Amino acid sequence: MAEWTTLLVAESADRVVVTLNRPERRNAIDQRMVDELHALCEDLERDPRILILTGSEGVFASGADIAELRERTAADARRGINATIFLRIAELPMPVIAALDGYALGGGAELAYAADFRLGTPRLRIGNPETSLGIIAAAGALWRLPQLVGEPLAAEITMAGRVLTGEEALAAGLVSDLFEPGELLAGAHALADRIAKNDPLATQYTKRVLRAPLGDHPRAEREAQAVLFESPEKHRRMTEFLERRKR
């Protein structure tokens, strides 16, 4: 976009770092942010790179913007405004890393669930209190969260309003590592560095097959491998490996 108003976007050759930037609203996700995230996805679909998502001023995202949410109608619910952008983020060709600090609640948590990797801090607070506001978590929590942490804990989070601390999220496998707040972004970059060392095309196919429906396996693996077996990059990397072994 010509100008970002709710996001801070830093681009490099192999990754894009996006900071949710509505600190006066604890980075609540409003329609403008949704629109800007769609524009970002359009760019990353055209030019696949790793995406790191984080939040400004010690908060990932406190949820959807309640002032907007209060005015939404049944027609808006059926449009799936947040669900659609979170699905698009989940389906980006390259991995998405969510670096979570402070509050990641409601829609903010659902955005985090859509990522491939989640890193946190000890002061992380993540959960889905939507039923306290008279709605449900309708942007992915009710089907992504059981896959991530199991149905009993997902039920406690989405129906009983349990909010996990960083340590609890780590123990549940919802985040894969914890960092002190000042080291969180460096931790996300270190993970991105490990991903970036691998063949981007192989990474893209791995993500695609990992997310394929169960009924698509093992055909999906065979078809992906068939493409990669003909890849010049596969030949180059394997040749380098064999030459190193000779030394």
Side-chain angles (χ1 to χ4, degrees):
M1 295 184 69
E3 182 179 355
W4 304 100
T5 62
T6 70
L7 308 176
L8 300 175
V9 180
E11 302 189 50
S12 63
D14 62 9
R15 74 197 62 173
V16 177
V17 180
V18 172
T19 304
L20 310 182
N21 189 44
R22 297 186 72 219
E24 74 285 357
R25 293 289 184 269
R26 292 184 175 179
N27 302 327
I29 300 167
D30 66 350
Q31 184 63 59
R32 178 64 180 174
M33 186 181 287
V34 168
D35 294 341
E36 292 188 4
L37 287 170
H38 274 295
L40 173 77
C41 286
E42 184 177 351
D43 182 47
L44 291 176
E45 290 158 355
R46 183 173 56 248
D47 179 15
R49 285 166 288 171
I50 299 162
L51 172 61
I52 298 174
L53 286 170
T54 192
S56 63
E57 298 193 13
V59 174
F60 181 67
S62 59
D65 190 298
I66 302 300
E68 284 191 0
L69 204 56
R70 183 183 62 180
E71 305 306 317
R72 287 184 180 169
T73 65
D76 293 319
R78 293 187 174 98
R79 284 169 57 207
I81 295 168
N82 286 1
T84 299
I85 184 56
F86 298 165
L87 184 62
R88 192 172 185 183
I89 289 169
E91 292 180 347
L92 286 171
M94 288 291 284
V96 178
I97 302 167
L100 309 170
D101 191 17
Y103 293 118
L105 299 174
E110 291 180 297
L111 174 56
Y113 304 154
D116 299 288
F117 302 91
R118 282 162 298 281
L119 308 177
T121 71
R123 67 186 186 187
L124 171 64
R125 299 295 182 268
I126 186 167
N128 292 92
E130 282 88 344
T131 54
S132 71
L133 296 170
I135 59 174
I136 67 170
L142 296 180
W143 59 275
R144 286 195 179 100
L145 194 53
Q147 296 174 358
L148 293 170
V149 301
E151 190 169 324
L153 182 53
E156 193 172 352
I157 292 168
T158 58
M159 289 194 283
R162 180 175 174 184
V163 174
L164 302 184
T165 66
E167 293 288 351
E168 290 170 333
L170 179 65
L174 187 55
V175 300
S176 57
D177 208 346
L178 292 183
F179 299 87
E180 289 304 313
E183 300 298 321
L184 177 61
L185 195 55
H189 276 293
L191 175 56
D193 289 342
R194 296 201 301 273
I195 296 168
K197 288 179 182 178
N198 300 322
D199 173 27
L201 186 61
T203 300
Q204 290 177 46
Y205 271 106
T206 298
K207 175 171 178 173
R208 188 181 305 176
V209 175
L210 268 173
R211 290 181 173 269
L214 186 60
D216 287 357
H217 300 277
R219 181 192 59 81
E221 286 89 340
R222 291 196 296 262
E223 292 302 317
Q225 198 76 302
V227 173
L228 293 169
F229 271 11
E230 299 294 330
S231 164
E233 184 66 6
K234 167 251 189 178
H235 188 272
R236 184 190 71 79
R237 285 173 176 261
M238 290 191 176
T239 299
E240 285 185 356
F241 175 83
L242 293 171
E243 289 175 351
R244 285 196 301 269
R245 287 184 58 182
K246 293 177 182 176
R247 294 172 191 162

